[in-house]
Amino acid sequence: MDNYVNQYVVVAIFILLGILLPAVALTVGRLLRPHKPNDPKRTTYESGNEPVGEGQVRFNIRYYMFALMFVIFDVETVFLYPWAVAYNKLGLFVLVEMFIFAAMLFIGLLYAWKKKVLKWNSV
Amino acid sequence: MGAWLHDSLTWSDAIIIFLWAVVFLFVVLGFVTYAIYFERKVIGWMQLRIGPNRVGPLGMLQTVADIFKLLIKEDTIPRKADRLLFVLAPILCYVPAFTVLAVIPYTEKLYFADLNVGLLYYAALSGISTLAIVLGGWASNNKYALLGGMRSAAQMISYEVPLVISVVGVILLSGSLNLRDIVDAQAGGWFWDWNFLPQIIGFVVFLIAAVSELNRTPFDLPEAESELVAGYHVEYSGFRFAFFMLSEYVYVYAIAALTTVLFLGGWHAPAPFLDFVPGIIWFLLKFAFIVFFLFWIRATFPRIRVDQLMGLGWKVLLPVSLLNVFLTAGYLELFVK
């Protein structure tokens, strides 16, 4: 049990160190770098033109569709991983079960394919 | 490393681990510095140029000079940007990139954390960086940054699915998510015992998806330095920009190490009579080859078109990786059990 917890102490140390490096580097940078803000410097970049309208423009719905499909297939992998670990102890029945599960999701992919969700046209 | 982790930890043990982790951090930073130098040199040679050769002997200090320049560069935050998220995004991008390295085993004895869910830990944490990219693009309040961030995120999540499914075959063969057990399962003396031959479909899918996850050529559409403005980090300057770049190269380290562990037999020698060479040498050789491979394809492949990009991920790699899972499972069912 100790061993199990200790491994996560190491992970915690890595997270701590991961936060510490940017914190230290940006603080040191603040002491070294010049700081002379003026108005033109702080405008939004738009190829040298005056920015037009809002920066947070409306974007294509397609990104949402990809995000949705990502969630579906990522959940599938959440099921696949423990299944794969325990596979040698389980029987043929479980293989068939997982095949049915994957096939149903794959039908979903085919449907999206048919509906041209996967086709990319501009933006 | 692992020996004292079996007993309960004292504070002094924790401090020793912390100091080793600091040493490791500097090793990674050194790797990143010289990977960038090596990349520029290799691509220079392949394109019949010389590459960096002015700063220091053979140009060895070029990257150090670049980093120092970024450190003393003025940091501008646009007036319209969401300040808190703008500052947070590069840090959120870097933290998971470094944290995933905790589970990589280098030899039998040289590793940091020996998690029983090592591979799942890697897949879960590396996904967080996508969030940082969307966040950076959104917080900049810039049209290019927003669209660039959205494109990067769409690409990264599309290729993450085949990436994580392609390793299921490896998990099936070794019956564990622990990276050390996965390497042990590839022991057998000869290089054909490593996973890359039995899992050749998974290996190819993994490599393609990994290159795309790293946003490197031929999948570097989010940056496409020769045709678009930078993408999600267009408003970033100075060291905040450096942290986005740093996490990209830390992921190069992570993916090269993970490929070595999962498919190329980790620290095992390619033939039994080569066993006298220490395991770490074999690990480093395979690791260096993967890193070189990434630079090599950058110099030789043209960039893929944006409309082909999503098609390749969803219509080709995902079905092929699913097929690989059931082929492997079927093989185990018929011939091994």
Side-chain angles (χ1 to χ4, degrees):
Chain A
M1 191 61 205
D2 269 347
N3 186 30
Y4 180 81
V5 176
N6 289 352
Q7 307 301 338
Y8 286 92
V9 173
V10 178
V11 171
I13 286 172
F14 267 71
I15 294 174
L16 180 71
L17 210 57
I19 298 169
L20 222 57
L21 176 75
V24 170
L26 289 170
T27 315
V28 172
R30 179 168 296 169
L31 301 174
L32 291 174
R33 66 185 177 225
H35 182 65
K36 298 190 193 75
N38 59 26
D39 224 37
K41 260 185 209 167
R42 297 182 63 219
T43 49
T44 304
Y45 171 75
E46 209 166 296
S47 304
N49 299 326
E50 287 291 319
V52 180
E54 268 298 297
Q56 285 158 352
V57 289
R58 296 212 280 177
F59 49 84
N60 204 314
I61 184 76
R62 185 175 302 111
Y63 296 112
Y64 177 74
M65 307 298 273
F66 278 117
L68 207 60
M69 282 181 35
F70 166 71
V71 170
I72 293 166
F73 281 95
D74 230 30
V75 170
E76 179 179 0
T77 48
V78 170
F79 285 110
L80 273 175
Y81 272 34
W83 170 79
V85 172
Y87 183 72
N88 281 328
K89 299 181 197 87
L90 306 169
L92 183 65
F93 179 65
V94 181
L95 172 63
V96 175
E97 251 183 343
M98 186 49 86
F99 185 76
I100 293 168
F101 177 61
M104 281 200 296
L105 288 180
F106 194 72
I107 291 168
L109 180 70
L110 289 178
Y111 179 72
W113 194 334
K114 193 97 200 307
K115 283 278 176 187
K116 297 201 167 64
V117 172
L118 307 176
K119 203 166 143 53
W120 190 276
N121 36 18
S122 77
V123 190
Chain B
M1 264 321 279
W4 69 72
L5 287 173
H6 291 288
D7 312 316
S8 52
L9 275 185
T10 60
W11 276 103
S12 60
D13 288 340
I15 288 167
I16 291 169
I17 297 174
F18 181 80
L19 291 178
W20 274 113
V22 171
V23 171
F24 176 67
L25 173 66
F26 281 100
V27 170
V28 172
L29 292 180
F31 164 81
V32 170
T33 309
Y34 284 97
I36 294 173
Y37 167 76
F38 184 59
E39 173 168 23
R40 293 176 64 180
K41 270 289 190 201
V42 165
I43 292 174
W45 290 328
M46 286 186 180
Q47 297 169 345
L48 302 181
R49 295 181 288 114
I50 295 172
N53 68 341
R54 290 295 153 133
V55 190
L58 299 171
M60 299 274 277
L61 298 177
Q62 179 66 52
T63 326
V64 180
D66 289 345
I67 292 168
F68 190 66
K69 177 225 167 194
L70 283 171
L71 189 64
I72 59 172
K73 202 169 166 70
E74 185 179 353
D75 177 47
T76 53
I77 299 180
R79 196 184 320 110
K80 283 185 170 174
D82 188 329
R83 264 192 95 87
L84 177 67
L85 296 184
F86 190 86
V87 171
L88 197 66
I91 300 173
L92 189 64
C93 191
Y94 169 73
V95 172
F98 180 67
T99 314
V100 292
L101 299 180
V103 286
I104 306 282
Y106 301 94
T107 66
E108 200 84 48
K109 297 203 177 66
L110 186 66
Y111 57 89
F112 279 94
D114 183 29
L115 299 187
N116 50 4
V117 290
L119 195 51
L120 183 65
Y121 167 90
Y122 185 100
L125 272 181
S126 63
I128 297 176
S129 286
T130 316
L131 195 64
I133 282 167
V134 179
L135 209 61
W138 174 261
S140 301
N141 207 340
N142 177 317
K143 288 165 199 149
Y144 301 140
L146 179 65
L147 292 178
M150 283 295 170
R151 274 193 183 189
S152 305
Q155 177 183 341
M156 287 172 87
I157 60 175
S158 296
Y159 281 84
E160 197 169 312
V161 173
L163 184 82
V164 290
I165 294 183
S166 66
V167 298
V168 172
V170 174
I171 305 170
L172 278 168
L173 287 182
S174 47
S176 172
L177 284 167
N178 183 318
L179 292 177
R180 288 177 65 226
D181 292 348
I182 288 174
V183 176
D184 280 341
Q186 299 174 64
W190 291 94
F191 64 88
W192 55 74
D193 293 314
W194 302 347
N195 279 334
F196 79 103
L197 278 179
Q199 279 294 311
I200 187 73
I201 304 172
F203 181 55
V204 171
V205 172
F206 181 85
L207 268 188
I208 297 172
V211 174
S212 188
E213 275 285 289
L214 294 169
N215 287 340
R216 294 185 64 84
T217 324
F219 301 101
D220 62 340
L221 291 113
E223 283 171 53
E225 64 268 7
S226 50
E227 44 192 83
L228 299 174
V229 292
Y232 64 91
H233 51 50
V234 61
E235 290 287 7
Y236 282 89
S237 59
F239 232 56
R240 294 189 209 288
F241 168 76
F243 270 104
F244 277 121
M245 281 291 126
L246 177 64
S247 27
E248 210 164 281
Y249 278 90
V250 174
Y251 271 124
V252 169
Y253 180 103
I255 282 285
L258 191 70
T259 314
T260 309
V261 166
L262 291 182
F263 291 101
L264 298 181
W267 55 83
H268 293 305
F273 56 84
L274 289 169
D275 267 344
F276 64 92
V277 183
I280 187 75
I281 303 278
W282 290 119
F283 187 94
L284 289 177
L285 277 176
K286 294 166 190 172
F287 173 82
F289 178 74
I290 298 285
V291 173
F292 170 73
F293 178 76
L294 289 172
F295 299 160
W296 185 14
I297 58 174
R298 177 169 169 194
T300 46
F301 277 12
R303 187 173 295 131
I304 192 170
R305 269 198 349 245
V306 68
D307 58 321
Q308 298 166 334
L309 178 78
M310 292 298 164
L312 179 67
W314 289 103
K315 295 177 190 168
V316 181
L317 295 184
L318 177 59
V320 168
S321 60
L322 276 175
L323 180 72
N324 178 50
V325 171
F326 290 103
L327 277 181
T328 313
Y331 167 79
L332 286 178
E333 194 62 45
L334 291 176
F335 297 105
V336 178
K337 276 190 185 173

